[in-house]
Amino acid sequence: MSDFRDGLAEILEVEASELEDGFELGELWDSLAVVSTLALIDEVHDVSVSAEDLAECKTVGDIGKLVDAAVA
Amino acid sequence: MTVEAVLKSGQAAKVQSASIVGLAACVPPRIVGNDHFAEQFGDGVADVTKMTGVLTRRWVDDSTTTADLCVAAAQRVLADLEWDPASVDALIFISQTPDYRLPATAAVMQPRLDLRPGIIAFDVNLGCSAYPYGLWLAMSMVQTGAARRVLLAVGDTSSRVVDPSDRATAMLFGDAGTVTAIEYDEKAEPAYFVLGTDGRGANNLIIPCGASRQLQHEKTPNDQDKLFMDGGEIFTFTLKAVPTLVAETMQVAGKSIDDYDYFLFHQANTFMINHLAKKAKLPGEKVPINIDAFGNTSSATIPLLICDKLAGELSSKPLRLGMFGFGVGYSWGGASVDVGALKSVALLTL
């Protein structure tokens, strides 16, 4: 998960240590961040998730759940 | 070779007895830099640029069409090859920005190029996948004896159909027209193709209005007569479709990565191309990119890339090229073609 968290931190331009499950994506979560995260999930986990579902995530924990469901 | 296995990517084809003998790309003279968008999008310009990699693009003026760019490219190819226009048997125009809803733009271009009455001429409506589809179609026409010489015109002037207020598309696209000359050659190395479609993605890259359906698109707040793109959905499609397309195109051709000189990807956006190349384990030096200078020129990206980046090599030696177009439709195509040495390969400004 750490590769993923580091990648997500880079995309959101925040420190990886800030990205607890409860981290609110808020305005950082624009269409470019979503697309970058699609690629990151593909790279780290070799699965693809729905762009629409990903865009609807509100917190880092939501992203984690989406990825877990796709990997399972 | 017969392709017996059912591919995940699409339909496979092998075409013989046809060669690419020349090509030219024509771009408009107006260079539009990212500063053009600063007032409209502010800091958004830098964010989008980081993803797309587009630094400049060429845009036509209001009186120039895709056909104008393609006519200039065709004239250059005909001159370089010393082909008598009367010796051309077919003209195919592939674009999503034709001159008219009817007639076919190929018909309008025919007399402009002094091509003789009676030839085959028609349009095909494809964008990002246009070049692999077009080569397959043109080469198949030659193989079946329908034509000995074909001009394949492929291009778009997307600047005319984007919504200037839509951050997702306003800065991404550029304009270009290209023409590829294909000729009967009994000694030609076979060309291999994998071609597919999944129209379930049609709504994710679309101009909803302007033709017959007049769709009121739910997802776009934009002008319904302008281009709508759902970048996330397109990216998801690409991640699923393209790595398999690359692998299966090489499989159908019976070749591996080392057998190719270059892998030419539709210049969709820099981030995507780099991701796809990495995922397919292609060496970076074999994956040229020129979207930085020309933007995403839709159907024209692959032949424009050849004219821009490979002209020197191709004028002196043959290259084995893998080509991959993917996007609007969804439609995708892979091609494995041996090209060169070419007597005609040029990038010109209108």
Side-chain angles (χ1 to χ4, degrees):
Chain A
M1 198 65 191
S2 71
D3 280 354
F4 181 73
R5 206 148 289 222
D6 288 347
L8 191 60
E10 197 176 316
I11 291 166
L12 299 174
E13 296 176 341
V14 299
E15 293 299 323
S17 56
E18 293 180 52
L19 293 182
E20 301 293 331
D21 281 354
F23 184 91
E24 296 274 345
L25 297 164
E27 287 185 1
L28 296 172
W29 201 231
D30 65 4
S31 61
L32 293 170
V34 171
V35 169
S36 301
T37 306
L38 285 169
L40 179 68
I41 294 169
D42 182 59
E43 190 177 321
V44 176
H45 298 287
D46 201 25
V47 294
S48 53
V49 299
S50 147
E52 201 172 344
D53 292 348
L54 188 62
E56 283 170 7
C57 289
K58 301 287 178 225
T59 64
V60 168
D62 292 343
I63 301 175
K65 280 181 209 155
L66 193 64
V67 172
D68 290 344
V71 172
Chain B
M1 186 196 79
T2 52
V3 181
E4 289 169 355
V6 176
L7 300 176
K8 285 184 193 166
S9 293
Q11 302 295 113
K14 175 187 181 183
V15 186
Q16 287 170 300
S17 309
S19 283
I20 294 173
V21 292
L23 71 167
C26 180
V27 294
R30 183 182 171 207
I31 300 173
V32 178
N34 285 346
D35 52 342
H36 176 83
F37 306 99
E39 196 176 326
Q40 173 89 31
F41 301 115
D43 293 343
V45 175
D47 292 342
V48 171
T49 304
K50 192 174 158 194
M51 162 84 42
T52 64
V54 182
L55 302 176
T56 62
R57 68 289 283 153
R58 302 294 188 103
W59 281 0
V60 292
D61 59 29
D62 290 343
S63 61
T64 304
T65 70
T66 306
D68 296 331
L69 299 172
C70 288
V71 164
Q75 285 165 337
R76 176 63 180 265
V77 171
L78 290 169
D80 284 351
L81 293 175
E82 299 178 70
W83 277 14
D84 179 353
S87 71
V88 173
D89 305 310
L91 171 64
I92 305 169
F93 177 77
I94 309 188
S95 177
Q96 314 217 92
T97 46
D99 274 13
Y100 309 105
R101 284 182 53 180
L102 66 125
T105 300
V108 181
M109 288 171 65
Q110 178 198 14
R112 292 181 67 184
L113 291 168
D114 292 323
L115 306 184
R116 67 176 200 279
I119 66 165
I120 296 167
F122 59 91
D123 290 4
V124 175
N125 180 335
L126 287 171
C128 317
S129 61
Y131 201 59
Y133 264 90
L135 289 178
W136 162 72
L137 187 55
M139 290 176 143
S140 299
M141 286 167 68
V142 170
Q143 183 182 325
T144 60
R148 284 183 72 88
R149 286 182 167 176
V150 181
L151 293 181
L152 169 65
V154 175
D156 272 301
T157 44
S158 304
S159 69
R160 303 273 297 267
V161 297
V162 296
D163 179 344
S165 67
D166 179 6
R167 193 183 80 157
T169 56
M171 294 179 270
L172 181 61
F173 292 96
D175 303 332
T178 73
V179 164
T180 304
I182 290 131
E183 186 171 35
Y184 178 77
D185 174 4
E186 61 183 5
K187 288 180 289 194
E189 288 294 320
Y192 299 89
F193 299 92
V194 175
L195 304 161
T197 310
D198 183 357
R200 289 174 297 180
N203 268 342
N204 294 323
L205 191 45
I206 188 169
I207 299 177
C209 291
S212 298
R213 178 63 64 190
Q214 303 294 331
L215 176 72
Q216 287 304 307
H217 201 290
E218 290 170 4
K219 282 202 272 184
T220 172
N222 307 326
D223 183 340
Q224 300 279 319
D225 287 311
K226 296 294 187 184
L227 183 70
F228 167 72
M229 179 176 80
D230 186 325
E233 292 296 340
I234 297 292
F235 198 85
T236 303
F237 148 69
T238 304
L239 290 180
K240 282 184 183 164
V242 179
T244 311
L245 176 67
V246 173
E248 292 190 340
T249 301
M250 288 194 281
Q251 179 195 327
V252 166
K255 299 190 171 67
S256 60
I257 292 172
D258 291 343
D259 296 322
Y260 290 86
D261 294 295
Y262 292 102
F263 296 88
L264 309 178
F265 285 85
H266 165 55
Q267 303 285 293
N269 82 50
T270 304
F271 178 79
M272 188 190 283
I273 297 166
N274 285 334
H275 183 80
L276 293 171
K278 193 169 158 191
K279 195 170 166 69
K281 298 188 168 57
L282 306 178
E285 66 273 14
K286 288 191 176 186
V287 185
I289 291 175
N290 73 344
I291 189 175
D292 53 329
F294 296 99
N296 175 341
T297 56
S298 183
S299 56
T301 54
I302 295 172
L304 176 62
L305 187 62
I306 295 173
C307 293
D308 180 34
K309 294 288 191 191
L310 305 182
E313 282 186 79
L314 274 176
S315 53
S316 61
K317 66 177 184 185
L319 297 175
R320 179 168 294 139
L321 304 177
M323 310 179 196
F324 309 97
F326 43 87
V328 62
Y330 303 141
S331 170
W332 57 89
S336 171
V337 187
D338 288 19
V339 184
L342 297 176
K343 198 174 163 189
S344 168
V345 50
L347 172 58
L348 53 147
T349 302
L350 190 68

